[in-house]
Amino acid sequence: MENFAASGASSSQSPDWSKESVDLQSVPTLRVGPGGSVLLYNFDLHGEARRAQLQTYFGICRQATGVHVTTSCFKVWRQNKKTNAFGKVIPTTPFAQMPSGAPPVRVFFFDDNLDLHGAESDPGICNLRDTHTAKFVSFADGRNGFTRGRAGRHTSILHSTEYNSVLVKANILDAIEDKDYFHAIIEAYSKPGEKLIVYMDVNSTIVCNDSVQSKDLSASLLSTMFELMVLVPRSPFDFGWGSCPPVSVQKRCSLKSLVKDLTINDHRAYNAFFSEANCQTFLNDLINFADVRWGDADENMTPTDFVTMYSKYLQTVSQGIDASGTAQSWFRCARAMQAEHLLMLNSFGVDTRKVVLATEPDETKVLQLCVNYELWDKRDVDKFGEQFAEPA
């Protein structure tokens, strides 16, 4: 923390990133965790101070190296129907406005929930903001220089020729199968000499176990598979599950989105859904009304195909993660980058500390940043503090 001085960019003009210091001392702080053991820097990225705070936040990210943490504000996103404009704030800068005296910066954002439509009002998690204006930057294919790319079996990428952004709809199965997954994507979409800022989601992006939703390894895998499996109705039909009221299925969709629609008013039913037995029964019932396919494949998937694929993936997953459920490809990426670049864990959840402890031997080096802490739900506040109750 001593690396950040108190002479940052003014909020009344475009930031000068050629300066070697940023005003971290101007950022409001609070103490959280047992006995106030954790110093938390709180940024207002959703309120009236957004522009100045965004510039300070980006300046810190531009200068920092190693592994650090940003905990975003889930409540704001949820209250605004989980649209991009209220999701995780990701700074971006037009190439044309980068100062010539500063090293070029490339921003990456990895998240399994990234929506590829890219408009401000679209359902999605990426709140891409111009560092000069704080205005939302559409990342739809064909807008603002963004075009699509691919990696692995299931990963989609949006990268721009106008902005310094590479947005990756990550897939935990790809991340586990390829131990160079993250680093290979970063190398493919960056240039030598650039400072790299990598915003990295945690659950279902680098960690297979999702403790927030009480998912174990098997449930996380099943949840991921259901997101990749597509149902194609032979004709419109109504479909029910357990005590959940039936929903009307009119068009193709992922199996996971159908599960979410069915359990929209029953959070417990959703959390309990992803067991092997439930998924098999669900699939057996569903194929009476619709064809089921794996991703973009043209061939229909049978319940036997599903069981075989699940068994193979479960073995691959169990061999490709550590005891905390973290993909080995994350650790390879961290080892290759943390000396010169920034890896910023960016999560709505409370699973960041276990990744920090598994990655960075000295936890005191890790900046804990958060977004609009004053707006968090009490549940999120409590869970965030509780993670620090565990010994390092």
Side-chain angles (χ1 to χ4, degrees):
M1 299 178 191
E2 299 88 320
N3 295 332
F4 300 99
S7 58
S10 167
S11 62
S12 62
Q13 58 187 4
S14 294
D16 181 2
W17 301 128
S18 64
K19 294 183 177 180
E20 292 302 323
S21 57
V22 170
D23 188 7
L24 183 60
Q25 295 178 15
S26 70
V27 181
T29 61
L30 58 151
R31 291 280 179 177
V32 299
S37 57
V38 179
L39 179 64
L40 195 60
Y41 291 86
N42 186 30
F43 290 84
D44 178 12
L45 300 183
H46 293 291
E48 294 181 359
R50 169 185 281 163
R51 183 170 178 267
Q53 292 275 285
L54 179 66
Q55 292 175 0
T56 301
Y57 178 70
F58 183 59
I60 291 167
C61 293
R62 183 185 166 277
Q63 292 187 36
T65 59
V67 178
H68 300 283
V69 175
T70 295
T71 304
S72 295
C73 186
F74 177 75
K75 182 179 178 181
V76 168
W77 187 52
R78 185 192 64 215
Q79 286 183 334
N80 290 277
K81 300 181 180 179
K82 297 185 176 180
T83 53
N84 282 321
F86 300 92
K88 296 178 181 180
V89 177
I90 305 300
T92 188
T93 302
F95 286 118
Q97 296 184 37
M98 285 188 179
S100 58
V105 175
R106 183 85 58 172
V107 173
F108 288 81
F109 176 49
F110 289 82
D111 198 299
D112 67 301
N113 285 315
L114 179 72
D115 179 82
L116 300 177
H117 293 93
E120 192 170 7
S121 58
D122 280 333
I125 206 165
C126 181
N127 189 358
L128 193 64
R129 294 279 168 176
D130 189 306
T131 54
H132 293 83
T133 65
K135 292 183 179 179
F136 183 88
V137 177
S138 172
F139 51 91
D141 190 1
R143 296 289 304 277
N144 293 311
F146 279 97
T147 56
R148 288 203 190 187
R150 297 282 301 178
R153 297 190 192 185
H154 314 296
T155 299
S156 296
I157 301 170
L158 285 161
H159 54 104
S160 177
T161 55
E162 296 179 18
Y163 281 83
N164 65 339
S165 299
V166 181
L167 311 177
V168 184
K169 183 176 176 60
N171 182 275
I172 190 64
L173 299 182
D174 285 348
I176 291 169
E177 281 192 304
D178 181 359
K179 292 184 179 179
D180 290 316
Y181 172 74
F182 295 109
H183 195 221
I185 292 173
I186 291 167
E187 282 197 322
Y189 289 92
S190 60
K191 296 179 180 180
E194 291 180 331
K195 168 64 184 289
L196 305 180
I197 299 173
V198 181
Y199 298 98
M200 186 74 71
D201 181 40
V202 175
N203 296 323
S204 296
T205 297
I206 62 175
V207 175
C208 198
N209 298 37
D210 190 336
S211 64
V212 176
Q213 296 182 344
S214 301
K215 293 178 186 174
D216 59 13
L217 178 61
S218 172
S220 293
L221 171 58
L222 290 165
S223 174
T224 301
M225 290 183 67
F226 262 47
E227 186 170 1
L228 296 169
M229 295 166 66
V230 177
L231 68 88
V232 183
R234 301 183 191 104
S235 61
F237 65 97
D238 292 337
F239 189 78
W241 175 258
S243 60
C244 300
V247 298
S248 177
V249 181
Q250 302 285 330
K251 57 184 180 181
R252 63 184 295 150
C253 63
S254 72
L255 265 61
K256 189 171 182 178
S257 65
L258 177 57
V259 173
K260 287 182 175 180
D261 288 344
L262 286 164
T263 60
I264 191 168
N265 296 316
D266 192 340
H267 188 67
R268 290 184 178 180
Y270 177 78
N271 283 344
F273 177 85
F274 289 102
S275 69
E276 184 179 1
N278 272 352
C279 291
Q280 286 190 45
T281 303
F282 187 85
L283 189 58
N284 283 329
D285 291 348
L286 193 59
I287 60 175
N288 292 317
F289 307 96
D291 298 326
V292 176
R293 296 169 186 169
W294 180 255
D296 298 328
D298 294 328
E299 302 82 13
N300 292 339
M301 192 175 187
T302 68
T304 302
D305 294 333
F306 169 75
V307 172
T308 301
M309 185 176 291
Y310 166 73
S311 298
K312 289 182 178 179
Y313 265 128
L314 188 60
Q315 183 177 6
T316 301
V317 167
S318 62
Q319 295 173 350
I321 59 176
D322 73 350
S324 69
T326 307
Q328 296 295 337
S329 55
W330 157 256
F331 295 114
R332 285 202 179 196
C333 181
R335 286 193 297 269
M337 294 187 61
Q338 61 186 7
E340 298 180 6
H341 305 286
L342 172 66
L343 293 160
M344 179 68 78
L345 300 175
N346 190 322
S347 177
F348 286 132
V350 296
D351 286 350
T352 52
R353 187 172 183 243
K354 68 181 182 182
V355 177
V356 167
L357 293 176
T359 310
E360 171 54 66
D362 185 358
E363 190 180 9
T364 64
K365 293 181 179 179
V366 177
L367 282 169
Q368 289 286 344
L369 314 178
C370 70
V371 178
N372 291 92
Y373 182 88
E374 69 282 356
L375 300 180
W376 291 14
D377 281 334
K378 184 178 183 303
R379 174 181 175 272
D380 294 333
V381 168
D382 291 344
K383 284 188 171 292
F384 182 83
E386 286 170 6
Q387 69 177 322
F388 296 99
E390 298 294 328

